[in-house]
Amino acid sequence: LMPLMFNAAFYRILRERFVLWHSALAVSLLLSILVTSGLSFYLGDLSVMAMSAANTLLFGLSVGAAGMFARSFIEDDKLHPRLRQALPLAGGWAVLVSALHASFPFALRSVQSALYYWAYVPVLAIYVWVLVDALRRGSRAARYQAIGWAPLFGVGVIRLISGLLPWLASDDAMMLFYVGCVIEVLATTLGVADRFMAIKDERDRAQTEAQVLERLSERDPLTGMLNRRALEDRF
């Protein structure tokens, strides 16, 4: 909840789109924790089917929000344009796959579980590729994202391997998922704060340069006295 409060304050000062996507990511992870941990029982009487469907859908929304946050958060010159264009496609695909899986009848869901896990392979590959490319180009934002995504990448790999290999028991890695949610939100929140400090420094430098140029434009270069433009502005 705390990052949402910070985002509300940040967005009032600088209307940056990545703040909204970070808020969407925090909300989706918060709801995922409420549903998967059993805390949702205190909020309402949800059936097992409803909780399972909600868990699947929220996971897809979290993955989609994470991709859109990365798209708007990584610096413009620190990511290949085609990879930036691929992020919303990958995020939308994750939401679509999760929605289809959640709407599938619960009793028959195991029939198409392999398809569900295979469908997430390209999403995971694109996200890893984005991080590698941005880190290789020296992105500060990608460093925070790498820290935040690392545990959730681990969750994704564990779920994919245990879901696709028939001789392994399915493992959702829920404890790692909870830890990953906390690290993801905290790391990206620090990244948002770092970006705002960078934006503030750029704005301060621009204002200082503008003031210097304004003073230079108002004075005669030889005598240093105010010129006609400055006199007309003042008098």
Side-chain angles (χ1 to χ4, degrees):
L1 291 174
M2 190 61 69
L4 295 176
M5 299 179 189
F6 283 128
N7 288 345
F10 288 152
Y11 192 72
R12 290 181 58 190
I13 301 171
L14 293 174
R15 302 299 178 93
E16 296 288 342
R17 186 176 299 176
F18 64 80
V19 180
L20 298 178
W21 284 116
H22 186 260
S23 298
L25 174 62
V27 170
S28 60
L29 291 176
L30 174 63
L31 293 177
S32 295
I33 292 174
L34 289 176
V35 171
T36 58
S37 65
L39 292 174
S40 57
F41 283 115
Y42 295 98
L43 304 177
D45 187 15
L46 295 177
S47 65
V48 175
M49 293 176 60
M51 289 183 60
S52 176
N55 180 31
T56 302
L57 182 58
L58 287 170
F59 181 75
L61 291 174
S62 300
V63 173
M68 294 304 297
F69 171 67
R71 182 179 186 271
S72 58
F73 185 55
I74 296 176
E75 302 89 338
D76 292 339
D77 59 336
K78 302 298 183 182
L79 184 63
H80 195 282
R82 291 188 177 179
L83 286 176
R84 195 179 298 275
Q85 295 173 359
L87 278 171
L89 298 177
W93 175 252
V95 174
L96 177 62
V97 168
S98 295
L100 291 175
H101 188 61
S103 61
F104 208 78
F106 184 78
L108 302 176
R109 196 173 296 176
S110 60
V111 177
Q112 46 88 47
S113 290
L115 294 177
Y116 170 71
Y117 289 120
W118 276 113
Y120 262 98
V121 171
V123 177
L124 186 63
I126 289 175
Y127 281 18
V128 171
W129 193 0
V130 165
L131 270 186
V132 171
D133 183 73
L135 289 172
R136 184 178 59 84
R137 295 169 184 260
S139 170
R140 284 179 60 88
R143 298 174 189 175
Y144 291 98
Q145 293 241 262
I147 296 172
W149 280 7
L152 295 181
F153 273 146
V155 173
V157 171
I158 292 173
R159 291 182 177 182
L160 283 174
I161 294 176
S162 63
L164 293 177
L165 299 180
W167 59 85
L168 292 178
S170 180
D171 186 1
D172 288 336
M174 293 310 302
M175 185 54 66
L176 181 59
F177 174 74
Y178 296 142
V179 173
C181 288
V182 174
I183 295 177
E184 162 75 359
V185 172
L186 292 181
T188 51
T189 299
L190 291 175
V192 169
D194 180 75
R195 173 62 64 81
F196 271 104
M197 292 302 298
I199 293 174
K200 178 181 179 299
D201 291 341
E202 292 176 1
R203 183 190 62 183
D204 292 344
R205 286 196 298 268
Q207 289 178 344
T208 301
E209 293 175 359
Q211 292 172 357
V212 171
L213 292 175
E214 184 179 3
R215 285 196 296 269
L216 290 174
S217 68
E218 292 179 342
R219 295 186 178 273
D220 179 75
L222 180 62
T223 64
M225 297 180 63
L226 295 176
N227 56 25
R228 175 170 181 155
R229 173 188 173 189
L231 293 174
E232 288 179 346
D233 289 341
R234 286 165 173 74
F235 304 102

